[in-house]
Amino acid sequence: MIVYSDVIKTSGADEPLAFAANDEIISDGYTLIPCNADEIDALAKKPAKTVGDVLGVDDDWERQPADVKAKKEAESILYFVRGERVVEAATNVDTGANASAEGGDDEGADDSAKEVINVVSSGLLESTSFDKKSYMSYLKGYLKNTKAYIPWAQKNREETDWAWKALSAEEKEAEKKKVEQQIAIFEPKAMAFAKWIQANFKDLDFYTGASMNPDGMVILSNYMEDGVSPYFLFWKAGLKGQKC
């Protein structure tokens, strides 16, 4: 399984800020579909035919050849994740009391069960709110900070990263060129997505990780064309994946 955390660190912290316990926010249970601003609306119009599809499995994406997917991944700045409303049972706590004496045999009904969005629940996301002005102010700072975490672009990485030190001069030069290409892709497409956000602002919901770090990622959410199934948008450069 792969778990994902936010690359933005808290002040003085040695580890990336986690969205949730054990750094987990989304796992292999969801398909992260790479996209850009001009593809979001098309993805949102695709009908969810099965439970698996609702959970993020995208047949069109899975059928593409590996080299096509690799190129798409490299040129995208966002991950599109479909969610589903599910009923989540409350955790049962054994108090040692007699269930029948407490009326606990009423056909096994669980009044504390509630409907949740699976991506929100499994990622321990917290709902938050913005007006347009405050969000765009946040986004300007977030994009500046996140760009520094594009691979091989971290400040002082040459002095601290053992993998970098192990590269030859030619390999280091090739990696630097790769960073330049990634940033060249990131900046204009990030600006295009910012315009998409402004145009769709009134329809968006906002979520942060459990820590509510004001410098970390704000996840955007809207609804599929059916008006029922939510989808979520993550900044690809703001996620750090780790196998476990």
Side-chain angles (χ1 to χ4, degrees):
M1 183 176 72
I2 299 176
V3 296
Y4 295 86
S5 60
D6 193 335
V7 300
I8 301 295
K9 299 179 181 179
T10 53
S11 179
D14 293 327
E15 297 298 325
L17 168 71
F19 281 113
N22 301 320
D23 292 344
E24 185 170 354
I25 181 167
I26 41 181
S27 70
D28 286 353
Y30 307 104
T31 295
L32 283 66
I33 305 172
C35 70
N36 292 303
D38 57 352
E39 300 165 301
I40 295 169
D41 294 334
L43 285 168
K45 289 177 182 177
K46 289 188 176 181
K49 300 175 183 178
T50 66
V51 172
D53 194 40
V54 172
L55 290 175
V57 177
D58 184 270
D59 289 340
D60 291 342
W61 170 249
E62 294 297 336
R63 283 198 296 264
Q64 291 180 35
D67 59 334
V68 174
K69 289 200 288 187
K71 185 174 186 296
K72 170 83 170 171
E73 176 87 37
E75 294 180 351
S76 300
I77 64 165
L78 302 167
Y79 281 134
F80 182 102
V81 179
R82 297 180 188 179
E84 181 186 32
R85 292 188 175 277
V86 297
V87 175
E88 189 174 80
T91 302
N92 292 324
V93 179
D94 185 0
T95 62
N98 186 306
S100 60
E102 295 180 345
D105 58 348
D106 294 341
E107 300 181 2
D110 186 359
D111 294 334
S112 58
K114 60 180 180 179
E115 186 180 71
V116 298
I117 298 173
N118 56 354
V119 178
V120 174
S121 179
S122 65
L124 301 184
L125 302 186
E126 297 287 344
S127 177
T128 187
S129 61
F130 289 90
D131 58 37
K132 187 181 289 189
K133 182 178 180 180
S134 63
Y135 178 81
M136 298 312 294
S137 176
Y138 149 79
L139 185 61
K140 182 178 179 180
Y142 179 76
L143 292 179
K144 179 181 178 181
N145 291 335
T146 304
K147 188 172 72 171
Y149 285 89
I150 290 176
W152 302 101
Q154 292 93 324
K155 291 181 179 179
N156 302 320
R157 184 164 187 177
E158 293 186 30
E159 288 74 28
T160 60
D161 194 305
W162 64 268
W164 173 267
K165 292 179 180 180
L167 297 178
S168 67
E170 292 78 10
E171 289 171 328
K172 288 180 180 179
E173 189 62 30
E175 290 294 343
K176 287 180 179 179
K177 288 182 179 179
K178 187 186 298 183
V179 171
E180 291 172 359
Q181 292 171 346
Q182 290 175 325
I183 292 175
I185 291 170
F186 180 81
E187 291 183 325
K189 292 191 175 182
M191 292 303 101
F193 183 48
K195 291 180 180 178
W196 182 93
I197 294 171
Q198 289 181 307
N200 294 274
F201 193 85
K202 62 181 177 60
D203 299 321
L204 299 174
D205 295 320
F206 305 88
Y207 293 90
T208 66
S211 68
M212 303 288 285
N213 177 21
D215 296 323
M217 187 187 302
V218 171
I219 300 106
L220 303 177
S221 178
N222 200 344
Y223 285 84
M224 304 289 286
E225 195 174 52
D226 62 11
V228 177
S229 307
Y231 67 82
F232 297 81
L233 298 168
F234 298 82
W235 288 98
K236 191 175 73 173
L239 287 178
K240 177 181 180 180
Q242 178 179 351
K243 282 192 175 185
C244 66

